[in-house]
Amino acid sequence: MTTESSEKSFYETPGRHTGILSWILSTDHKRIGILYLTSMFSFFFVAVILGVLMRLELIAPGRTIMSATTYNAAFTVHGVIMIFLFIIPGIPAGLGNFIMPLQIGARDVAFPRINLMSWWFYISGAIVIIVSLFTGGGAPDTGWTFYVPYSIRTGTNVTLAVFGVFLLGISSTLTGINFVTTIHRLRAPGMKWFRLPLFVWSLYATGWVQILATPVLALTLLLLIAERLYGLGFFDPSKGGDPLMFEHLFWIYSHPAVYIMILPAMGAVTEIIPVFARRTIFGYKAIAFSSLAIASAGYLVWGHHMFTSGMSDTARMVFSFLTFIVAIPSGIKVFNWVASLYKGSIELVSPLLFTISFIFLFSIGGLTGLINGALATNVFVHGTYFIVAHFHYTMFGGTAFAFFAALHFWFPKITGRMYREALAIKAWIILFIGFNVLYFPMFILGFEGMPRRYYDYLPRFQTEQFISTVGSWILATGLAIMFYNLISSIFTGEKAPGNPWGGSTLEWTTSSPPPHENFEEQPVVTGGPYRFGKGK
């Protein structure tokens, strides 16, 4: 197989349009992937700034830099952006769009025009959410869950923000349909199911969650909009509605959405480990099936978000039991990642350092999830800072650190340039320290009884709040260094070879960056995706 192409890269290939139109009207999966990445990280920075400002407000009891109303709006917008505009679309829509067709030897996704339409739905939803901040009654103040009955009665611009999230849901569903069809129909000759890279397996499992779960959220949000506009009384108890039904419908989507966020991250680190351990992945089929198991079991555990909302003891015990079931396939993945590293020829470069951090932080997030899943302890920590810490260890320490690992890993393939490794490692050290200083004190705050989403607190919580705020400054510094390194390397980095890491999956057999149709010749697959060592 070739590692260099004589064809022009997709950046240099002229299309039907020029300038900005050659990007926003392109149906090339690689350009669409970059559109997603650029958009998502732009929104990510806004949410990070809001997060730092919120932490600054909480550095001391009482008012510091903003009012309670502004704080409520800030944490709502922070949550909506991070969840719906960054983490959910993050790896699948951004890196998945760019890398998945390359990994299966395809020229593009199955429906290129729908792929472009999906990005337009995404950007339209984002614009609607941004407009909602400055129109109507102002920025929504409900939190990203839009819980009723408050979201029905508040005078802020919840209706427009919810409609924006509805548009994002359409985008996510279309991406899921496209990816599942592509993986079924466009694999290269010889690429059987158990020759698929495990990143592709994770996107396949994620695609089914997107297809089956997202419409439930869309329907729920439409009912909420109808209730606010026409007073129909689906969820408002004063009109005979049931607020608990909203929680059920919301979490039937939003808990599987956690797996939309984490499964592609798990797939990405599974690609990185064998390359930098120079070993075939341990337990290929176990990892592939565990992705499907997590996606399947994830539909059945939404009730653990509602143990204190009001449901029968039997239902609570069933949901608690099922929550523990999800831990089994997650544990299988962690075991196989560690086993793959065992006795490997490990090269400690930045993608692997971020990956190891992911395993460590995600394990803390996962194990503290069992405390949430157990009935007795859930009642104790429900609605406290413990949940905030657990959520961020899972989503930021898990998904975002894996995203950063994957971004460094595939950066040469996407841009055709190498980044500065020493600066990347410095950024990783600062990020890792900042993350733990920021979020670990929240576990302690939660055990001490500090409720989450509160604007003010008792003086006895100040020490942990102060440490946490200092951690946010360290974390933001690490992010600034990391993105400075990556962005400046696009313009000044050394030219990347086709396969700088010695990877064995198909994307490394074409040039960096790839040509317009990905490969000069249709690749033919004759073996598994991870071939290292003597038997490769």
Side-chain angles (χ1 to χ4, degrees):
M1 292 179 177
T2 179
T3 56
E4 297 293 343
S5 170
S6 57
E7 292 185 31
K8 291 181 178 178
S9 79
F10 72 96
Y11 292 111
E12 302 164 322
T13 304
R16 294 172 56 190
H17 306 283
T18 57
I20 187 72
L21 294 181
S22 69
W23 285 89
I24 64 174
L25 297 180
S26 173
T27 55
D28 183 349
H29 69 98
K30 298 180 289 296
R31 287 181 180 250
I32 293 172
I34 292 173
L35 283 175
Y36 270 115
L37 289 172
T38 308
S39 312
M40 285 185 297
F41 280 113
S42 300
F43 298 129
F44 173 73
F45 277 118
V46 174
V48 168
I49 291 169
L50 287 172
V52 171
L53 291 175
M54 288 159 54
R55 286 308 325 164
L56 195 56
E57 167 55 39
L58 294 170
I59 195 170
R63 176 171 177 150
T64 306
I65 62 166
M66 64 179 79
S67 68
T69 303
T70 306
Y71 177 83
N72 284 342
F75 88 69
T76 298
V77 176
H78 170 82
V80 168
I81 292 177
M82 281 296 194
I83 296 292
F84 295 110
L85 294 178
F86 177 64
I87 294 188
I88 287 181
I91 295 179
L95 293 175
N97 244 312
F98 196 104
I99 298 298
M100 185 270 286
L102 288 164
Q103 284 199 323
I104 65 171
R107 292 181 174 181
D108 208 319
V109 293
F111 309 116
R113 288 184 175 83
I114 290 179
N115 201 21
L116 177 62
M117 186 166 67
S118 176
W119 180 78
W120 274 105
F121 269 114
Y122 169 81
I123 208 71
S124 301
I127 291 170
V128 168
I129 290 171
I130 292 168
V131 170
S132 76
L133 307 181
F134 307 103
T135 57
D141 58 352
T142 59
W144 71 274
T145 54
F146 301 113
Y147 272 171
V148 298
Y150 182 72
S151 61
I152 297 170
R153 297 170 182 170
T154 177
T156 57
N157 206 356
V158 170
T159 305
L160 202 57
V162 167
F163 181 65
V165 175
F166 173 77
L167 294 177
L168 296 175
I170 296 176
S171 167
S172 182
T173 307
L174 292 177
T175 298
I177 293 170
N178 218 340
F179 280 13
V180 168
T181 310
T182 301
I183 295 166
H184 270 278
R185 303 296 301 170
L186 298 185
R187 303 194 305 275
M191 180 166 278
K192 302 174 183 176
W193 281 97
F194 291 120
R195 290 177 178 174
L196 282 174
L198 287 161
F199 181 57
V200 178
W201 268 107
S202 72
L203 292 176
Y204 182 72
T206 304
W208 280 112
V209 179
Q210 289 172 298
I211 294 169
L212 298 176
T214 310
V216 178
L217 176 70
L219 175 63
T220 308
L221 296 179
L222 284 180
L223 292 176
L224 178 58
I225 292 172
E227 177 123 11
R228 281 182 61 89
L229 293 180
Y230 307 110
L232 297 183
F234 294 115
F235 307 120
D236 190 343
S238 67
K239 297 175 181 174
D242 184 358
L244 201 59
M245 184 171 71
F246 178 89
E247 283 195 50
H248 278 292
L249 291 171
F250 181 84
W251 287 113
I252 283 174
Y253 163 78
S254 294
H255 194 79
V258 170
Y259 303 109
I260 295 176
M261 305 175 208
I262 198 67
L263 274 172
M266 291 172 165
V269 300
T270 310
E271 295 297 315
I272 294 168
I273 288 171
V275 171
F276 295 110
R278 313 309 298 173
R279 286 197 64 198
T280 300
I281 196 76
F282 181 84
Y284 172 94
K285 288 186 179 179
I287 294 177
F289 284 124
S290 64
S291 293
L292 299 177
I294 290 172
S296 304
Y299 282 103
L300 308 174
V301 301
W302 79 88
H304 72 225
H305 293 273
M306 303 167 56
F307 283 158
T308 61
S309 297
M311 65 172 75
S312 71
D313 288 342
T314 304
R316 294 200 300 175
M317 285 188 284
V318 169
F319 279 122
S320 179
F321 174 75
L322 291 173
T323 301
F324 277 75
I325 295 291
V326 178
I328 296 173
S330 302
I332 288 171
K333 283 186 181 294
V334 173
F335 175 80
N336 283 299
W337 292 328
V338 176
S340 300
L341 289 168
Y342 180 63
K343 289 189 176 179
S345 300
I346 293 174
E347 187 180 0
L348 275 178
V349 291
S350 49
L352 188 61
L353 289 170
F354 276 108
T355 296
I356 293 171
S357 305
F358 159 83
I359 296 172
F360 177 73
L361 299 173
F362 175 73
S363 296
I364 294 176
L367 290 171
T368 53
L370 296 179
I371 296 175
N372 298 330
L375 267 176
T377 49
N378 179 285
V379 173
F380 179 69
V381 299
H382 191 94
T384 70
Y385 261 59
F386 186 88
I387 305 297
V388 182
H390 158 72
F391 184 77
H392 282 86
Y393 265 84
T394 309
M395 291 295 102
F396 196 158
T399 302
F401 268 70
F403 199 167
F404 299 154
L407 203 59
H408 285 81
F409 182 56
W410 283 308
F411 182 87
K413 182 57 60 183
I414 294 171
T415 65
R417 299 284 178 176
M418 300 299 293
Y419 54 82
R420 281 161 286 188
E421 178 62 20
L423 198 55
I425 291 176
K426 287 178 185 173
W428 166 75
I429 293 171
I430 297 170
L431 276 169
F432 184 74
I433 293 171
F435 177 88
N436 285 289
V437 174
L438 169 56
Y439 293 112
F440 194 81
M442 295 185 186
F443 282 126
I444 300 169
L445 282 169
F447 275 125
E448 291 178 342
M450 170 79 206
R452 63 173 172 163
R453 298 173 178 155
Y454 273 38
Y455 167 71
D456 202 0
Y457 55 85
L458 297 173
R460 67 189 176 93
F461 297 123
Q462 187 179 0
T463 301
E464 290 88 351
Q465 292 282 11
F466 177 81
I467 294 171
S468 188
T469 299
V470 172
S472 72
W473 301 338
I474 301 172
L475 184 70
T477 304
L479 287 172
I481 294 172
M482 184 183 76
F483 281 103
Y484 165 75
N485 184 25
L486 293 177
I487 293 171
S488 63
S489 296
I490 293 173
F491 304 101
T492 61
E494 292 181 12
K495 192 174 186 315
N499 190 3
W501 312 125
S504 62
T505 42
L506 284 182
E507 77 272 27
W508 301 113
T509 65
T510 190
S511 57
S512 300
H516 177 62
E517 294 192 335
N518 296 344
F519 303 93
E520 283 192 48
E521 297 177 1
Q522 171 74 66
V524 176
V525 179
T526 56
Y530 309 111
R531 286 158 287 158
F532 298 99
K534 295 178 182 178
K536 74 175 184 178

